[in-house]
Amino acid sequence: MFLTCEGTFGIVPATMDYNGEARPGDFHAGYQEIEGINLGYLQINGTQMFALAQVLSDLFKDIPRTTISKKMETLKIKSRRCDLKELRTLKAIHSVPTRAVKCSLISKADLEALCTSCKSLSPRR
């Protein structure tokens, strides 16, 4: 079950162009409770994106990663690599370990599809 956003962490300072308008690609971070687990996210261009590492370690901790990878392939779910600014923000909100050098992101819509698909695989809480 997906719940509404618990709150936002804050707005990442926007990069301004010469007209004083924010450039595309700016984002903000926040937390959302999904399946009873508080996950950090980045709101990028209007889309909530979650750190795949946190999703795997917190949400799907009882399901083998190879099983999740196969489900993602079947559902045609693509993850995207985050850039350095996004990675630093995810570290600041404790969604990825501080030692991480890279991170992949998955959209909320794809995460919902993956949760639905994996519901029968995880033990009842």
Side-chain angles (χ1 to χ4, degrees):
M1 168 179 227
F2 286 81
L3 301 175
T4 58
C5 180
E6 290 289 313
T8 57
F9 179 72
I11 296 175
V12 174
T15 306
M16 302 300 243
D17 65 12
Y18 292 108
N19 299 339
E21 296 178 14
R23 293 182 191 159
D26 293 330
F27 57 90
H28 73 269
Y31 295 97
Q32 180 159 4
E33 188 174 321
I34 298 175
E35 301 283 330
I37 296 170
N38 219 17
L39 297 177
Y41 70 87
L42 299 178
Q43 183 92 18
I44 303 171
N45 298 326
T47 304
Q48 278 187 337
M49 303 291 285
F50 294 87
L52 191 54
Q54 185 181 30
V55 168
L56 293 172
S57 67
D58 295 357
L59 197 58
F60 298 127
K61 64 183 171 198
D62 298 325
I63 302 172
R65 289 182 184 218
T66 52
T67 304
I68 299 296
S69 294
K70 288 177 186 175
K71 288 281 187 187
M72 287 177 66
E73 194 175 305
T74 302
L75 296 168
K76 295 182 171 61
I77 294 174
K78 300 278 187 208
S79 61
R80 85 159 180 83
R81 197 61 63 103
C82 63
D83 64 25
L84 186 57
K85 190 163 84 166
E86 293 164 348
L87 179 62
R88 286 180 178 154
T89 304
L90 288 169
K91 287 179 181 182
I93 64 171
H94 306 291
S95 288
V96 296
T98 54
R99 67 185 182 280
V101 294
K102 59 186 177 181
C103 179
S104 295
L105 300 171
I106 183 173
S107 72
K108 182 179 179 184
D110 287 342
L111 180 56
E112 288 173 346
L114 191 59
C115 283
T116 301
S117 180
C118 292
K119 230 178 229 332
S120 63
L121 301 175
S122 62
R124 295 272 179 215
R125 293 183 188 173

